[in-house]
Amino acid sequence: EEEEEEELELEESNGNENKEARSILNIVFVRLAKLGRSEGEEKQKAVLRFFAGSMAKYGKERIEKVLDPMMSLLYRIHENPTPQHSEYVRNLVEELLEMTRKTVSADKFASAYKKAREEVIDVRHQRRQRSVMLKVTQPQAFARKSHRKHTRRLETVRERQLKYRLMAVKATNSRIKATTREIADSSARRR
């Protein structure tokens, strides 16, 4: 009986360690998913590589426990590609989605994907609602926000125009230099 009690205590302690490990793994995945959403491309690549390595290392059961935060990042990049996302990042996300589809069951994958989609839609809806409420409840704050947005947009347009003007000037200068060289070469040949 004493041996059985010791075995039960050992199993319970192993169960607690596994729960802690799962919860720590979940915390890591949640934080990495947030980091992958907010940081630059290099950090996104690192997070996606970590997800891929974790999927290769851990089994189906552990991946199913951290599927929601992982799918949140993958959905955002897959469904809403921005110019920030390079071709490499998009391909990596496609491969991760395919690996996830093969690793976990189809219904778990579909429910995690649906949950990520609903989460994104809810955030967008809340953002719109806050904007509408700001317009009604605090018109001065809304006006300041609109003015800042308009100013930023104008600055972006000016920067883009300046960039194209500089490119045009450089192209013109290079044509002038080439023409000057050609004239100098032709006059040197005549002598």
Side-chain angles (χ1 to χ4, degrees):
E1 287 181 16
E2 290 178 15
E3 288 178 10
E4 290 177 8
E5 288 177 13
E6 288 177 11
E7 287 178 13
L8 288 174
E9 288 176 11
L10 184 63
E11 288 176 11
E12 288 175 5
S13 67
N14 286 342
N16 291 338
E17 289 174 7
N18 286 339
K19 288 179 184 176
E20 287 177 20
R22 274 188 245 130
S23 65
I24 290 172
L25 189 64
N26 196 15
I27 290 169
V28 168
F29 269 76
V30 167
R31 288 188 179 174
L32 285 175
K34 287 181 182 177
L35 183 72
R37 281 195 304 259
S38 63
E39 296 297 327
E41 183 177 347
E42 291 303 315
K43 289 189 181 176
Q44 273 184 345
K45 287 179 186 178
V47 169
L48 293 172
R49 287 182 193 135
F50 176 82
F51 285 171
S54 298
M55 200 168 308
K57 181 175 166 103
Y58 300 123
K60 175 183 176 180
E61 293 174 11
R62 280 194 175 172
I63 293 300
E64 285 179 353
K65 304 282 186 216
V66 295
L67 195 58
D68 290 339
M70 185 171 69
M71 196 59 71
S72 173
L73 176 63
L74 296 178
Y75 175 82
R76 280 181 166 87
I77 295 174
H78 183 258
E79 293 296 323
N80 302 315
T82 64
Q84 294 173 325
H85 300 132
S86 67
E87 191 67 31
Y88 177 79
V89 170
R90 284 185 231 129
N91 290 338
L92 191 56
V93 168
E94 288 288 332
E95 290 175 22
L96 272 169
L97 285 171
E98 191 60 36
M99 280 177 64
T100 307
R101 216 175 271 130
K102 290 177 183 176
T103 304
V104 299
S105 62
D107 56 328
K108 292 266 186 186
F109 177 83
S111 68
Y113 198 81
K114 181 182 175 186
K115 186 175 179 181
R117 184 179 64 235
E118 289 172 354
E119 181 183 308
V120 168
I121 289 170
D122 286 345
V123 167
R124 288 179 185 161
H125 180 72
Q126 289 171 359
R127 201 176 294 137
R128 274 190 228 110
Q129 288 299 321
R130 275 196 308 261
S131 178
V132 168
M133 292 303 292
L134 185 68
K135 186 176 184 178
V136 173
T137 59
Q138 300 174 352
Q140 288 100 2
F142 182 77
R144 282 193 305 271
K145 183 179 177 184
S146 297
H147 180 69
R148 274 196 312 266
K149 186 176 180 181
H150 179 69
T151 305
R152 258 185 275 144
R153 195 174 294 148
L154 284 177
E155 288 173 3
T156 305
V157 168
R158 286 184 193 129
E159 288 173 6
R160 195 177 305 136
Q161 288 174 347
L162 182 62
K163 176 182 159 187
Y164 287 125
R165 286 181 189 153
L166 287 174
M167 288 172 46
V169 168
K170 286 180 182 178
T172 304
N173 287 344
S174 65
R175 279 189 235 126
I176 291 171
K177 287 179 184 177
T179 307
T180 306
R181 267 190 247 123
E182 288 174 11
I183 293 170
D185 289 343
S186 65
S187 64
R189 285 185 211 146
R190 289 184 192 161
R191 292 185 188 162

